[in-house]
Amino acid sequence: PKRGFNSAAEGLTAEVRLSDLSKMKASEIDLAVLKAEGVISKRALTAKVIKSGELTRKVALKGILATKGAREAVTAAGGSIAE
């Protein structure tokens, strides 16, 4: 039986760790690149970078959301974030 509220938007925003970005080959990262490398689900409509792990290289994020801590980590590594 169904109990409570089930959000229709649940699971549409994928969370990406900083350590996942470090492992990726691409330096310019957008939603399509994350899906192609299998970091996020193909069903995800948006992605959000969270501060978990360390970012050791320069990356450019395009069209991806980021938490405050993740923004600081990306810019500290010499990267950029474009909404």
Side-chain angles (χ1 to χ4, degrees):
K2 177 182 178 280
R3 291 224 189 262
F5 174 76
N6 291 331
S7 174
E10 182 179 352
L12 298 181
T13 301
E15 288 186 348
V16 181
R17 295 182 178 93
L18 288 174
S19 56
D20 293 338
L21 295 180
S22 291
K23 296 174 189 173
M24 293 178 65
K25 296 174 184 170
S27 60
E28 291 191 8
I29 300 171
D30 62 358
L31 195 62
V33 173
L34 290 172
K35 288 181 181 182
E37 293 206 18
V39 177
I40 63 173
S41 167
K42 301 238 185 255
R43 295 182 355 181
L45 298 179
T46 59
K48 185 171 195 173
V49 179
I50 59 173
K51 185 181 177 185
S52 176
E54 289 189 19
L55 184 64
T56 56
R57 64 187 190 94
K58 180 179 173 180
V59 294
L61 301 178
K62 294 183 180 174
I64 298 175
L65 303 172
T67 62
K68 183 179 178 183
R71 284 179 185 274
E72 292 171 358
V74 169
T75 54
S80 63
I81 300 175
E83 293 296 322

Coordinates of all heavy atoms in Angstrom, one line a residue:
P1 N 0.8 -1.2 0.0 CA 0.0 0.0 0.0 C 0.9 1.3 0.0 O 1.9 1.3 0.6 CB -0.8 -0.1 1.3 CG -0.1 -1.0 2.2 CD 0.7 -2.0 1.3
K2 N 0.4 2.3 -0.6 CA 1.1 3.5 -0.7 C 0.9 4.3 0.6 O -0.2 4.4 1.1 CB 0.5 4.3 -1.9 CG 1.1 5.7 -2.0 CD 0.5 6.4 -3.2 CE 1.1 7.8 -3.3 NZ 0.5 8.8 -2.4
R3 N 2.0 4.8 1.1 CA 1.9 5.7 2.3 C 2.7 7.0 2.0 O 3.8 7.0 1.5 CB 2.6 5.0 3.4 CG 1.9 3.8 3.9 CD 1.9 3.8 5.4 NE 1.4 2.6 6.0 CZ 0.1 2.4 6.4 NH1 -0.7 3.4 6.3 NH2 -0.2 1.3 7.0
G4 N 2.1 8.1 2.4 CA 2.8 9.4 2.3 C 2.8 9.9 0.9 O 2.0 9.6 0.0
F5 N 3.8 10.8 0.7 CA 3.9 11.5 -0.6 C 5.0 11.0 -1.4 O 6.1 10.8 -0.9 CB 4.1 13.0 -0.2 CG 4.4 13.9 -1.4 CD1 3.4 14.2 -2.3 CD2 5.7 14.2 -1.7 CE1 3.6 15.0 -3.4 CE2 5.9 15.0 -2.9 CZ 4.9 15.4 -3.7
N6 N 4.8 10.7 -2.6 CA 5.8 10.3 -3.6 C 6.0 11.4 -4.6 O 5.2 11.7 -5.4 CB 5.4 9.0 -4.3 CG 5.4 7.8 -3.3 OD1 6.1 7.8 -2.4 ND2 4.5 6.8 -3.6
S7 N 7.2 11.9 -4.6 CA 7.5 13.0 -5.5 C 7.7 12.5 -6.9 O 8.5 11.5 -7.1 CB 8.8 13.8 -5.0 OG 9.2 14.7 -6.0
A8 N 7.1 13.2 -7.9 CA 7.3 12.8 -9.3 C 8.7 13.2 -9.8 O 9.2 12.7 -10.8 CB 6.2 13.4 -10.1
A9 N 9.3 14.2 -9.2 CA 10.6 14.7 -9.6 C 11.8 14.0 -8.9 O 12.9 14.3 -9.2 CB 10.7 16.2 -9.2
E10 N 11.5 13.0 -8.1 CA 12.6 12.3 -7.4 C 13.4 11.5 -8.4 O 13.0 10.9 -9.3 CB 12.0 11.3 -6.4 CG 13.0 10.6 -5.6 CD 12.4 9.6 -4.6 OE1 11.2 9.6 -4.4 OE2 13.1 8.8 -4.0
G11 N 14.7 11.7 -8.3 CA 15.7 11.0 -9.1 C 16.0 11.7 -10.4 O 16.8 11.2 -11.2
L12 N 15.4 12.9 -10.7 CA 15.7 13.6 -11.9 C 17.0 14.4 -11.8 O 17.6 14.7 -12.9 CB 14.6 14.5 -12.3 CG 13.2 13.7 -12.6 CD1 12.2 14.7 -13.0 CD2 13.4 12.7 -13.7
T13 N 17.4 14.7 -10.6 CA 18.7 15.4 -10.4 C 19.7 14.5 -9.8 O 19.5 13.9 -8.8 CB 18.5 16.6 -9.5 OG1 17.6 17.5 -10.0 CG2 19.8 17.4 -9.3
A14 N 20.8 14.3 -10.6 CA 21.8 13.3 -10.1 C 22.9 14.1 -9.4 O 23.2 15.2 -9.7 CB 22.4 12.6 -11.3
E15 N 23.5 13.4 -8.4 CA 24.6 14.0 -7.6 C 25.9 13.4 -8.1 O 26.0 12.2 -8.3 CB 24.4 13.7 -6.1 CG 23.3 14.4 -5.4 CD 23.3 14.2 -3.9 OE1 24.0 13.3 -3.4 OE2 22.6 15.0 -3.3
V16 N 26.9 14.3 -8.3 CA 28.2 14.0 -8.8 C 29.2 14.4 -7.8 O 29.2 15.6 -7.3 CB 28.5 14.6 -10.2 CG1 29.8 14.2 -10.7 CG2 27.4 14.3 -11.2
R17 N 30.1 13.5 -7.4 CA 31.1 13.8 -6.4 C 32.3 14.5 -7.1 O 32.6 14.2 -8.3 CB 31.6 12.6 -5.7 CG 30.5 11.9 -4.8 CD 31.1 10.7 -4.1 NE 30.1 10.1 -3.3 CZ 29.3 9.1 -3.6 NH1 29.4 8.6 -4.9 NH2 28.4 8.6 -2.8
L18 N 33.1 15.3 -6.4 CA 34.3 15.8 -6.9 C 35.3 14.7 -7.3 O 36.0 14.9 -8.3 CB 35.0 16.8 -5.9 CG 34.3 18.1 -5.6 CD1 35.0 18.8 -4.5 CD2 34.2 18.9 -6.8
S19 N 35.3 13.6 -6.6 CA 36.2 12.5 -6.9 C 35.8 11.9 -8.2 O 36.7 11.4 -9.0 CB 36.2 11.5 -5.8 OG 34.9 11.0 -5.5
D20 N 34.5 11.9 -8.6 CA 34.1 11.4 -9.9 C 34.6 12.3 -11.0 O 35.0 11.8 -12.1 CB 32.6 11.3 -9.9 CG 32.0 10.2 -9.0 OD1 32.7 9.3 -8.6 OD2 30.8 10.4 -8.6
L21 N 34.6 13.6 -10.8 CA 35.1 14.5 -11.8 C 36.6 14.3 -12.0 O 37.1 14.5 -13.1 CB 34.8 16.0 -11.4 CG 33.4 16.4 -11.3 CD1 33.3 17.9 -10.9 CD2 32.6 16.2 -12.6
S22 N 37.3 14.0 -11.0 CA 38.8 13.8 -11.1 C 39.1 12.6 -11.9 O 40.1 12.6 -12.7 CB 39.4 13.6 -9.7 OG 39.4 14.8 -9.0
K23 N 38.3 11.6 -11.9 CA 38.5 10.3 -12.6 C 38.1 10.4 -14.1 O 38.6 9.6 -14.9 CB 37.7 9.2 -12.0 CG 38.1 8.8 -10.6 CD 37.2 7.8 -10.0 CE 37.5 7.6 -8.5 NZ 36.5 6.7 -7.9
M24 N 37.3 11.4 -14.5 CA 36.9 11.6 -15.8 C 38.0 12.0 -16.7 O 38.9 12.7 -16.3 CB 35.7 12.5 -15.9 CG 34.4 12.0 -15.2 SD 33.1 13.1 -15.3 CE 32.8 13.2 -17.0
K25 N 37.9 11.6 -18.0 CA 39.0 12.0 -19.0 C 38.7 13.4 -19.5 O 39.7 14.1 -19.9 CB 39.0 11.0 -20.1 CG 39.4 9.6 -19.7 CD 39.3 8.6 -20.8 CE 39.6 7.2 -20.3 NZ 39.3 6.2 -21.2
A26 N 37.5 13.8 -19.7 CA 37.2 15.1 -20.3 C 37.5 16.3 -19.4 O 37.4 16.1 -18.2 CB 35.7 15.2 -20.7
S27 N 37.9 17.4 -20.0 CA 38.2 18.6 -19.1 C 37.0 19.5 -19.2 O 36.9 20.3 -18.2 CB 39.5 19.2 -19.6 OG 39.4 19.7 -20.9
E28 N 36.2 19.5 -20.2 CA 35.0 20.3 -20.3 C 33.9 19.4 -20.1 O 33.6 18.5 -20.9 CB 34.9 21.0 -21.7 CG 35.9 22.1 -21.9 CD 35.6 22.9 -23.1 OE1 34.6 22.8 -23.7 OE2 36.5 23.8 -23.4
I29 N 33.2 19.6 -19.0 CA 32.1 18.6 -18.6 C 30.8 19.3 -18.6 O 30.5 20.3 -18.0 CB 32.5 18.1 -17.1 CG1 33.8 17.4 -17.1 CG2 31.4 17.2 -16.6 CD1 34.3 17.0 -15.8
D30 N 29.8 18.6 -19.3 CA 28.4 19.0 -19.3 C 27.6 17.7 -19.0 O 28.1 16.7 -18.8 CB 28.1 19.8 -20.5 CG 28.2 18.9 -21.8 OD1 28.7 17.8 -21.7 OD2 27.9 19.4 -22.9
L31 N 26.3 17.9 -19.1 CA 25.4 16.8 -18.8 C 25.6 15.6 -19.8 O 25.6 14.4 -19.3 CB 23.9 17.3 -18.9 CG 22.9 16.4 -18.3 CD1 23.1 16.2 -16.8 CD2 21.5 16.9 -18.5
A32 N 25.8 15.9 -21.0 CA 26.0 14.8 -22.0 C 27.2 14.0 -21.8 O 27.3 12.8 -21.9 CB 26.0 15.4 -23.4
V33 N 28.3 14.7 -21.3 CA 29.6 14.0 -21.0 C 29.4 13.1 -19.8 O 29.9 12.0 -19.8 CB 30.7 15.0 -20.8 CG1 32.0 14.4 -20.3 CG2 31.0 15.8 -22.1
L34 N 28.7 13.6 -18.8 CA 28.5 12.8 -17.6 C 27.7 11.5 -17.9 O 28.0 10.4 -17.4 CB 27.7 13.6 -16.5 CG 28.5 14.7 -15.9 CD1 27.6 15.6 -15.0 CD2 29.6 14.2 -15.0
K35 N 26.7 11.7 -18.8 CA 25.9 10.5 -19.2 C 26.7 9.5 -20.1 O 26.6 8.3 -19.9 CB 24.7 10.9 -20.0 CG 23.6 11.6 -19.1 CD 22.4 12.0 -19.9 CE 21.3 12.7 -19.1 NZ 20.2 13.1 -19.8
A36 N 27.5 10.1 -21.0 CA 28.3 9.2 -21.9 C 29.4 8.4 -21.1 O 29.6 7.3 -21.5 CB 29.0 10.1 -22.9
E37 N 29.9 9.0 -20.1 CA 30.9 8.2 -19.3 C 30.3 7.4 -18.2 O 31.0 6.7 -17.4 CB 31.9 9.2 -18.7 CG 32.8 9.9 -19.7 CD 34.2 10.3 -19.2 OE1 34.6 9.8 -18.2 OE2 34.8 11.2 -19.9
G38 N 29.0 7.4 -18.0 CA 28.3 6.5 -17.1 C 28.4 7.0 -15.7 O 28.1 6.2 -14.7
V39 N 28.7 8.3 -15.5 CA 28.7 8.8 -14.1 C 27.3 9.0 -13.5 O 27.1 8.8 -12.3 CB 29.5 10.2 -14.1 CG1 29.5 10.8 -12.7 CG2 30.9 9.9 -14.6
I40 N 26.4 9.4 -14.4 CA 25.0 9.6 -13.9 C 24.1 8.8 -14.8 O 24.5 8.3 -15.9 CB 24.6 11.1 -14.0 CG1 24.6 11.7 -15.4 CG2 25.4 11.9 -13.1 CD1 24.1 13.1 -15.6
S41 N 22.9 8.7 -14.4 CA 21.8 7.9 -15.1 C 21.4 8.6 -16.4 O 21.5 9.8 -16.5 CB 20.6 7.7 -14.2 OG 19.5 7.3 -15.0
K42 N 21.1 7.8 -17.4 CA 20.6 8.4 -18.7 C 19.3 9.1 -18.5 O 18.9 10.0 -19.3 CB 20.5 7.3 -19.7 CG 21.8 6.6 -20.0 CD 22.2 6.7 -21.4 CE 23.4 5.8 -21.7 NZ 24.6 6.6 -21.8
R43 N 18.5 8.8 -17.4 CA 17.2 9.5 -17.2 C 17.4 10.8 -16.5 O 16.4 11.6 -16.5 CB 16.4 8.6 -16.3 CG 16.0 7.3 -16.9 CD 15.1 6.5 -15.9 NE 15.0 7.1 -14.6 CZ 14.3 6.6 -13.6 NH1 13.7 5.5 -13.8 NH2 14.2 7.2 -12.5
A44 N 18.5 11.1 -15.9 CA 18.7 12.4 -15.2 C 18.5 13.6 -16.1 O 19.1 13.6 -17.2 CB 20.1 12.4 -14.5
L45 N 17.8 14.6 -15.6 CA 17.6 15.8 -16.4 C 18.6 16.9 -16.0 O 18.9 17.8 -16.8 CB 16.2 16.3 -16.2 CG 15.1 15.4 -16.6 CD1 13.7 16.0 -16.3 CD2 15.2 15.1 -18.1
T46 N 19.1 16.9 -14.8 CA 20.1 17.8 -14.3 C 21.1 17.1 -13.4 O 20.9 16.0 -13.0 CB 19.5 19.0 -13.5 OG1 18.8 18.4 -12.4 CG2 18.5 19.8 -14.3
A47 N 22.2 17.7 -13.2 CA 23.2 17.2 -12.3 C 23.7 18.3 -11.4 O 23.7 19.4 -11.7 CB 24.4 16.6 -13.1
K48 N 24.1 17.8 -10.2 CA 24.6 18.8 -9.2 C 25.9 18.2 -8.6 O 26.0 17.0 -8.1 CB 23.6 19.0 -8.1 CG 24.0 20.0 -7.1 CD 22.9 20.3 -6.1 CE 23.1 21.6 -5.4 NZ 22.0 22.0 -4.6
V49 N 27.0 19.0 -8.6 CA 28.3 18.6 -8.0 C 28.3 18.8 -6.6 O 27.9 19.9 -6.1 CB 29.4 19.3 -8.7 CG1 30.8 18.9 -8.1 CG2 29.4 19.1 -10.2
I50 N 28.6 17.8 -5.8 CA 28.7 18.0 -4.3 C 30.2 17.8 -3.9 O 31.0 17.2 -4.5 CB 27.8 17.0 -3.6 CG1 28.2 15.5 -3.9 CG2 26.3 17.2 -3.9 CD1 27.5 14.5 -3.1
K51 N 30.5 18.5 -2.7 CA 31.9 18.4 -2.2 C 32.1 17.1 -1.5 O 31.8 17.0 -0.3 CB 32.1 19.6 -1.3 CG 33.6 19.7 -0.9 CD 33.8 20.8 0.0 CE 35.2 20.8 0.5 NZ 35.5 21.9 1.5
S52 N 32.5 16.1 -2.2 CA 32.8 14.8 -1.6 C 34.1 14.3 -2.3 O 34.0 14.1 -3.5 CB 31.7 13.9 -1.8 OG 32.0 12.6 -1.3
G53 N 35.2 14.1 -1.6 CA 36.4 13.8 -2.3 C 37.2 15.0 -2.6 O 36.9 16.1 -2.2
E54 N 38.2 14.8 -3.5 CA 39.1 15.9 -3.8 C 39.2 16.1 -5.3 O 39.1 15.1 -6.1 CB 40.5 15.7 -3.3 CG 40.6 15.9 -1.8 CD 42.0 15.9 -1.3 OE1 42.9 16.1 -2.1 OE2 42.2 15.6 -0.1
L55 N 39.3 17.3 -5.8 CA 39.5 17.6 -7.2 C 40.9 18.0 -7.4 O 41.3 19.0 -6.8 CB 38.5 18.7 -7.7 CG 38.5 19.0 -9.1 CD1 38.1 17.8 -10.0 CD2 37.6 20.2 -9.4
T56 N 41.7 17.2 -8.2 CA 43.1 17.5 -8.3 C 43.5 18.1 -9.7 O 44.6 18.4 -9.9 CB 43.9 16.2 -8.1 OG1 43.4 15.2 -9.1 CG2 43.7 15.7 -6.7
R57 N 42.5 18.3 -10.5 CA 42.8 18.8 -11.9 C 41.8 19.9 -12.3 O 40.7 20.0 -11.7 CB 42.9 17.7 -12.9 CG 41.6 17.0 -13.1 CD 41.7 15.8 -14.1 NE 40.4 15.3 -14.5 CZ 39.8 15.7 -15.6 NH1 40.4 16.6 -16.4 NH2 38.6 15.2 -15.9
K58 N 42.2 20.6 -13.3 CA 41.3 21.7 -13.8 C 40.2 21.2 -14.7 O 40.5 20.4 -15.6 CB 42.2 22.7 -14.6 CG 41.5 23.9 -15.1 CD 42.5 24.7 -15.9 CE 41.8 25.8 -16.6 NZ 42.8 26.7 -17.4
V59 N 39.0 21.6 -14.3 CA 37.8 21.2 -15.1 C 36.9 22.4 -15.4 O 36.9 23.3 -14.6 CB 37.0 20.1 -14.5 CG1 37.8 18.8 -14.4 CG2 36.5 20.5 -13.1
A60 N 36.2 22.4 -16.5 CA 35.3 23.4 -16.8 C 33.9 22.8 -16.8 O 33.6 21.9 -17.6 CB 35.6 24.1 -18.1
L61 N 33.0 23.3 -15.9 CA 31.6 22.7 -15.8 C 30.7 23.7 -16.6 O 30.8 24.9 -16.5 CB 31.2 22.7 -14.4 CG 32.0 21.8 -13.4 CD1 31.5 21.9 -12.0 CD2 32.1 20.4 -13.9
K62 N 29.8 23.1 -17.4 CA 28.9 23.9 -18.2 C 27.5 23.3 -18.0 O 27.2 22.1 -18.3 CB 29.3 23.8 -19.7 CG 30.6 24.5 -20.0 CD 30.9 24.5 -21.4 CE 32.2 25.2 -21.6 NZ 32.7 25.1 -23.0
G63 N 26.6 24.2 -17.5 CA 25.2 23.8 -17.3 C 25.0 22.8 -16.2 O 24.0 22.1 -16.2
I64 N 25.9 22.7 -15.3 CA 25.8 21.8 -14.1 C 25.7 22.6 -12.8 O 26.5 23.5 -12.7 CB 27.0 20.8 -14.1 CG1 26.9 20.0 -15.4 CG2 26.9 19.9 -12.9 CD1 28.1 19.1 -15.5
L65 N 24.8 22.3 -12.0 CA 24.7 22.9 -10.7 C 25.8 22.5 -9.7 O 26.4 21.4 -9.9 CB 23.4 22.6 -10.0 CG 22.1 22.9 -10.8 CD1 20.9 22.4 -10.1 CD2 22.0 24.4 -11.0
A66 N 26.2 23.3 -8.7 CA 27.2 22.9 -7.8 C 26.9 23.6 -6.4 O 26.4 24.7 -6.4 CB 28.6 23.4 -8.3
T67 N 27.2 22.8 -5.4 CA 27.1 23.4 -4.0 C 28.2 24.4 -3.8 O 29.1 24.5 -4.6 CB 27.2 22.3 -3.0 OG1 28.5 21.7 -3.1 CG2 26.1 21.2 -3.2
K68 N 28.0 25.2 -2.7 CA 29.0 26.2 -2.4 C 30.4 25.7 -2.2 O 31.4 26.2 -2.7 CB 28.5 27.0 -1.1 CG 29.4 28.1 -0.8 CD 28.9 28.8 0.5 CE 29.8 29.9 0.9 NZ 29.3 30.6 2.1
G69 N 30.5 24.6 -1.5 CA 31.8 23.9 -1.3 C 32.4 23.4 -2.5 O 33.6 23.5 -2.7
A70 N 31.6 22.8 -3.4 CA 32.1 22.3 -4.7 C 32.6 23.4 -5.6 O 33.6 23.3 -6.3 CB 31.0 21.5 -5.4
R71 N 31.8 24.6 -5.6 CA 32.3 25.7 -6.4 C 33.7 26.2 -5.9 O 34.5 26.4 -6.8 CB 31.3 26.9 -6.2 CG 30.0 26.7 -7.0 CD 29.1 28.0 -6.7 NE 27.8 27.8 -7.3 CZ 27.6 28.1 -8.5 NH1 28.5 28.6 -9.3 NH2 26.4 27.9 -9.0
E72 N 33.9 26.3 -4.6 CA 35.2 26.7 -4.1 C 36.3 25.7 -4.5 O 37.4 26.1 -4.9 CB 35.1 26.8 -2.6 CG 34.2 28.0 -2.1 CD 33.9 28.0 -0.6 OE1 34.5 27.1 0.1 OE2 33.2 28.9 -0.2
A73 N 36.0 24.4 -4.5 CA 37.0 23.4 -4.8 C 37.3 23.5 -6.3 O 38.5 23.3 -6.7 CB 36.5 22.0 -4.4
V74 N 36.3 23.7 -7.2 CA 36.6 23.7 -8.6 C 37.4 25.0 -8.9 O 38.4 24.9 -9.7 CB 35.3 23.7 -9.4 CG1 35.5 24.1 -10.8 CG2 34.6 22.4 -9.3
T75 N 37.1 26.1 -8.4 CA 37.8 27.3 -8.7 C 39.2 27.3 -8.0 O 40.2 27.8 -8.6 CB 37.1 28.6 -8.2 OG1 36.8 28.4 -6.8 CG2 35.8 28.8 -9.0
A76 N 39.4 26.6 -6.9 CA 40.7 26.5 -6.3 C 41.6 25.6 -7.1 O 42.8 25.8 -7.1 CB 40.5 25.9 -4.9
A77 N 41.0 24.7 -7.9 CA 41.8 23.8 -8.7 C 42.1 24.5 -10.1 O 42.8 23.9 -10.9 CB 41.1 22.5 -8.9
G78 N 41.6 25.7 -10.3 CA 41.9 26.4 -11.5 C 40.8 26.2 -12.5 O 40.9 26.7 -13.7
G79 N 39.7 25.6 -12.2 CA 38.6 25.4 -13.1 C 37.6 26.5 -13.1 O 37.7 27.5 -12.4
S80 N 36.5 26.3 -13.9 CA 35.5 27.3 -14.0 C 34.1 26.7 -14.0 O 34.0 25.5 -14.4 CB 35.7 28.1 -15.3 OG 35.5 27.3 -16.4
I81 N 33.1 27.5 -13.7 CA 31.7 27.0 -13.7 C 30.9 28.0 -14.5 O 30.8 29.1 -14.2 CB 31.1 26.9 -12.3 CG1 32.0 25.9 -11.5 CG2 29.7 26.4 -12.3 CD1 31.6 25.8 -10.0
A82 N 30.2 27.5 -15.6 CA 29.3 28.3 -16.4 C 27.9 27.7 -16.2 O 27.7 26.5 -16.5 CB 29.7 28.3 -17.8
E83 N 27.0 28.5 -15.8 CA 25.6 28.0 -15.7 C 24.9 27.8 -16.9 O 24.7 28.4 -17.8 CB 24.8 28.9 -14.8 CG 25.3 29.0 -13.4 CD 25.2 27.6 -12.6 OE1 24.2 26.9 -12.8 OE2 26.1 27.3 -11.9

